[in-house]
């Protein structure tokens, strides 16, 4: 049974974690050799660079260093931020780390848009090797890729739970196919195995100088999706992902070496990956099933990306750095199975836009990598800082060296900005602007609403409670910080003189841990006034109604605050629009509608 679970965990990881990096062999070498000549010396140098990029950036940075920094098995940029902030005492340092994490989240989303675009488009382009389809127009290729993307995003609301079980076995077949095809080519040119020696990578860089440095911008494509190893820890756990990476790493290395061997024999090849496969199967009807497998693998890679984006945004919502977008839970059992409509359609529109703008995968590949390397640099900086503060000097030194490699890759990608890389920056800037405006807007709104200090509130409450006749039943009021009572509560009780026999202040606190839920009464503040506190991990699907019922609370009415924002400049106008378009606190947590009473407060910003 233990052995079955061991194998099952690895196979699941192939479908959930390694789709992106597993489909990168389709487009990596064609993009690189748009930048350099396909001589045998250059092929050996590029292969060596790819191998050692996978070793340093994936095996060392993510599989070893990053995955040693988890919180109850959960990973990602927000986890690194939470870990690091614990050690910091300076507000300036905390603000810097917070802003750095905002950029990291935005870059991940920017990367998430390009991943399905380049993966699906490059796989569909393999149709051209089918007899009688050699002359198919690129416009048809674009339409097919766009149609696949539309279908993929359209089924998200139904959830992927029912079909997710097939992802692992399909990707297992995919990686075995990569391995076999690679070995077949290596047998014909066994000298490519020498590329494992880092000497060839260093020789290539030294002989090609500046041009060789900029070729790193193409080499990084082999490591796209590396961040999924860390970000998806919460879905499967650390061990299955690391064990799965051993298998994936070998499959990728064999295939890249095989493509190199094929390219040495056929330097005129354009679509290296599919031309190698086509020559190996020789019989065209065997090529078509492989092409279908390739397209399926890219769809699975895209599905993994979409699921990852939903998780990132959900973390952002529960940690209050993103607006409360409406969340649908597509599984009653799996917490990772969620659907966020705004995110889904934002990604689809962006993916279709990218496909129609770039039109060809090699052009898209030439602009891909900027967001990826930016994310890696931010991860490296935060990891190094954490290891230093924890006193783990060996890991700190290794992390620093890896971060310097990340910086080199990032600098090599700078030239991509004017040739299309600016689109990844533009796409990433949209969530970044939303995060910044929302977080700073919430802080300003909170100050403008003028919450009342608890001790001052209690003086007024005791006077009102003794003098007024009370309404029978229990009223609930939500307050983020019990020490500062929101103005809507003050307005309800002191201005409108609405007071119930029992009044409960409910506070929802998001923990630094990803999972765990607890709810309990923590304090009796005065006659008829108690505090009920709910503590929940930032990845928990929080069912407030159930928690309240389990505590024996049968409320008659739920009061909540609504801000009527009067903006005085463009920034706060945007903030006002965000607030109007996203659900309120009570809508997000799906509290009983018939019991809700909103108290509107006018706020000038």
């Amino acid at each position: 049974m233990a052995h079955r679970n061991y194998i099952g965990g690895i196979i699941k990881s192939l479908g959930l974690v390694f789709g992106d990096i597993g489909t990168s062999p389709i487009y990596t070498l064609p993009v690189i050799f748009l930048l350099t000549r396909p001589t045998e010396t250059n092929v050996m140098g590029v292969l060596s660079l790819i191998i050692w990029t996978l070793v340093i950036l994936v095996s060392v940075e993510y599989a070893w260093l990053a995955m040693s920094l988890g919180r109850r098995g959960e990973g990602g940029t927000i986890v690194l931020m939470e870990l690091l902030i614990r050690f910091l005492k300076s507000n300036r340092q905390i603000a810097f780390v917070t802003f750095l994490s905002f950029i990291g989240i935005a870059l991940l989303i920017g990367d998430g848009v390009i991943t399905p675009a380049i993966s699906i488009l490059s796989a569909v382009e393999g149709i051209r090797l089918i007899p009688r389809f050699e002359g198919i127009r690129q416009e048809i290729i674009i339409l097919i890729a766009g149609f696949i993307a539309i279908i993929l995003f359209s089924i998200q609301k139904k959830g992927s739970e029912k079909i997710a079980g097939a992802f692992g076995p399909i990707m297992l077949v995919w990686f075995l196919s990569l391995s076999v095809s690679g070995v077949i080519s290596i047998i014909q040119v066994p000298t490519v195995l020498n590329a494992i020696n880092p000497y060839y990578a260093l020789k290539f860089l030294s002989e090609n100088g500046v041009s060789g440095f900029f070729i790193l911008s193409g080499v990084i494509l082999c490591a796209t999706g590396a961040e999924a190893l860390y970000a998806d820890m919460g879905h499967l756990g650390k061990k299955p992902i690391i064990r799965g990476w051993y298998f994936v790493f070998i499959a990728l290395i064999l295939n890249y070496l095989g493509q190199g061997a094929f390219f040495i024999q056929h330097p005129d090849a354009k679509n290296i990956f599919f031309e190698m496969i086509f020559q190996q199967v020789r019989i065209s009807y065997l090529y078509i099933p492989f092409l279908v497998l390739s397209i399926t693998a890219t769809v699975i890679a895209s599905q993994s990306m979409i699921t990852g984006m939903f998780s990132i945004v959900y973390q952002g919502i529960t940690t209050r750095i993103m607006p409360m977008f409406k969340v649908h839970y597509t599984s009653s059992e799996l917490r990772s199975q969620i659907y966020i409509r705004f995110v889904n359609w934002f990604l689809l529109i962006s993916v279709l836009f990218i496909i129609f703008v770039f039109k060809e995968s090699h052009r898209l590949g030439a602009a891909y990598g900027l967001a990826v390397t930016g994310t890696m640099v931010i991860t490296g900086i935060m990891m190094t800082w954490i290891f230093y503060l924890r006193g783990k000097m060996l890991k700190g030194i290794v992390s620093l060296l890896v971060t310097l490699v990340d910086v080199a890759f990032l600098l090599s990608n700078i030239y991509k900005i004017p040739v299309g890389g600016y689109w990844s920056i533009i796409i990433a800037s949209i969530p970044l602007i939303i995060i910044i405006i929302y977080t700073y807007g919430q802080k300003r709104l909170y100050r403008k609403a003028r919450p009342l200090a608890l001790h001052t509130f209690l003086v007024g409450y005791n006077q009102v409670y003794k003098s007024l006749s009370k309404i029978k039943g229990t009223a609930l009021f939500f307050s983020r910080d019990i020490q500062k009572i929101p103005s809507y509560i003050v307005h309800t009780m002191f201005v409108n003189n609405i007071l119930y026999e029992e009044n409960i202040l409910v506070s929802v606190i998001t923990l630094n841990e990803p999972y765990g839920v607890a709810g309990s009464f923590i304090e009796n503040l005065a006659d008829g006034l108690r505090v009920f506190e709910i503590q929940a991990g930032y990845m928990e699907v929080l069912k407030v109604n159930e928690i309240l019922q389990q505590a024996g609370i049968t409320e008659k009415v739920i009061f909540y605050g609504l801000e009527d924002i009067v903006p005085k400049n463009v920034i706060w106008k945007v903030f006002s629009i965000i607030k109007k378009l996203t659900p309120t606190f009570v809508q997000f947590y799906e509290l009983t509608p018939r019991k809700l009473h909103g108290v509107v407060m006018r706020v000038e910003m």
Side-chain angles (χ1 to χ4, degrees), residues 272-563:
I272 304 167
F273 178 79
F274 285 111
E275 288 183 37
M276 176 182 75
I277 299 296
F278 187 78
Q279 188 188 74
Q280 289 171 351
V281 297
R282 297 188 183 278
I283 306 172
S284 60
Y285 66 78
L286 291 179
Y287 173 76
I288 294 175
F290 181 82
L291 179 61
V292 173
L293 175 64
S294 302
I295 294 173
T296 305
T298 60
V299 169
I300 292 172
S302 302
Q303 177 61 57
S304 301
M305 179 279 302
I306 296 168
T307 303
M309 291 301 104
F310 289 161
S311 295
I312 289 169
V313 173
Y314 188 75
Q315 285 184 12
I317 292 170
T318 55
T319 52
R320 298 185 175 125
I321 66 173
M322 283 188 176
M324 287 187 164
F325 299 116
K326 182 64 178 175
V327 177
H328 298 273
Y329 305 102
T330 59
S331 170
S332 58
E333 299 177 359
L334 299 177
R335 286 176 287 199
S336 61
Q337 291 293 312
I338 59 176
Y339 169 77
I340 304 175
R341 182 170 55 189
F342 174 84
V343 176
N344 189 68
W345 297 117
F346 170 77
L347 290 174
L348 174 59
I349 292 168
S350 301
V351 167
L352 293 176
F353 178 78
I354 289 294
I355 289 175
F356 286 107
V357 165
F358 286 92
K359 294 181 172 57
E360 297 176 327
S361 63
H362 68 84
R363 289 180 61 195
L364 185 52
Y368 190 24
L370 197 59
V372 177
T373 51
T375 302
M376 289 178 172
V377 169
I378 290 172
T379 299
I381 291 171
M382 296 175 79
M383 284 196 312
T384 304
W385 203 344
I386 293 170
F387 288 132
Y388 170 74
L389 293 172
R390 284 185 172 182
K392 296 185 177 181
M393 292 305 160
L394 174 60
K395 285 186 175 180
I397 292 169
V398 175
S399 182
L400 177 61
L401 294 174
V402 170
T403 304
L404 293 176
V405 174
D406 290 333
V407 171
F409 274 102
L410 177 60
L411 293 175
S412 73
N413 275 272
I414 296 298
Y415 90 93
K416 291 182 176 181
I417 293 176
V419 295
Y422 59 87
W423 280 116
S424 62
I425 296 175
I426 291 172
I427 292 170
S429 68
I430 295 173
L432 180 61
I433 290 170
I434 291 174
I435 291 170
I436 292 172
I437 290 177
Y438 180 75
T439 52
Y440 285 95
Q442 286 290 88
K443 289 178 182 178
R444 188 177 180 88
L445 180 62
Y446 188 69
R447 290 196 302 268
K448 285 281 186 179
R450 296 178 182 176
L452 198 62
L454 178 61
H455 62 86
T456 306
F457 169 78
L458 288 176
V459 173
Y461 172 83
N462 285 323
Q463 292 175 353
V464 172
Y465 194 80
K466 290 176 182 177
S467 61
L468 289 180
S469 58
K470 274 78 70 180
I471 303 171
K472 290 184 179 181
T474 301
L476 299 187
F477 300 86
F478 284 87
S479 177
R480 180 183 300 181
D481 183 359
I482 297 301
Q483 296 303 315
K484 294 181 180 180
I485 305 300
S487 55
Y488 86 88
I489 299 178
V490 177
H491 193 84
T492 301
M493 292 183 177
F494 300 170
V495 178
N496 293 334
N497 291 332
I498 298 175
L499 205 61
Y500 280 71
E501 286 181 336
E502 185 175 17
N503 303 278
I504 300 175
L505 303 181
V506 181
S507 176
V508 179
I509 297 175
T510 303
L511 302 174
N512 291 332
E513 301 288 344
Y515 298 114
V517 177
S520 62
F521 285 100
I522 61 169
E523 194 173 358
N524 290 332
L525 296 175
D527 290 341
L529 183 64
R530 293 192 290 170
V531 177
F532 186 81
E533 185 176 270
I534 300 173
Q535 295 186 342
Y538 57 78
M539 282 303 293
E540 282 290 353
V541 175
L542 195 57
K543 298 180 179 179
V544 175
N545 280 327
E546 289 186 10
I547 296 171
L548 295 174
Q549 289 173 7
Q550 289 170 3
I553 299 173
T554 54
E555 72 281 357
K556 189 174 183 180
V557 63
I558 301 172
F559 290 99
Y560 66 99
L562 278 175
E563 300 89 4

Side-chain angles (χ1 to χ4, degrees), residues 161-220:
E161 181 183 4
K162 294 180 180 178
I163 57 174
F167 289 175
I170 291 172
M171 292 307 292
L172 175 62
V173 174
W174 169 254
F175 286 116
L176 288 173
S177 301
L178 292 183
S179 302
V180 171
S181 65
V183 169
I184 291 173
S185 287
I186 291 170
I187 290 172
Q188 298 174 24
V189 188
T191 54
V192 294
L193 292 171
N194 293 326
I196 296 172
N197 190 333
Y199 163 78
Y200 289 93
L202 297 173
K203 180 184 176 184
F204 177 84
L205 292 175
S206 63
E207 289 181 352
N208 288 274
V210 175
S211 62
F213 175 75
F214 284 113
I215 285 169
L216 290 177
S217 65
V219 174
I220 192 62

Side-chain angles (χ1 to χ4, degrees), residues 55-73:
V55 170
I56 296 170
L57 298 190
V58 186
S59 296
V60 176
E61 180 170 7
Y62 285 98
W64 177 38
L65 295 175
M67 294 190 76
S68 70
L69 295 173
R71 308 265 330 228
R72 289 180 64 184

Side-chain angles (χ1 to χ4, degrees), residues 174-176 178-179 246-256:
W174 169 254
F175 286 116
L176 288 173
L178 292 183
S179 302
Y246 297 152
F247 171 67
V248 172
F249 177 73
I250 293 170
L252 292 176
I253 295 300
L254 288 174
N255 192 262
Y256 280 120

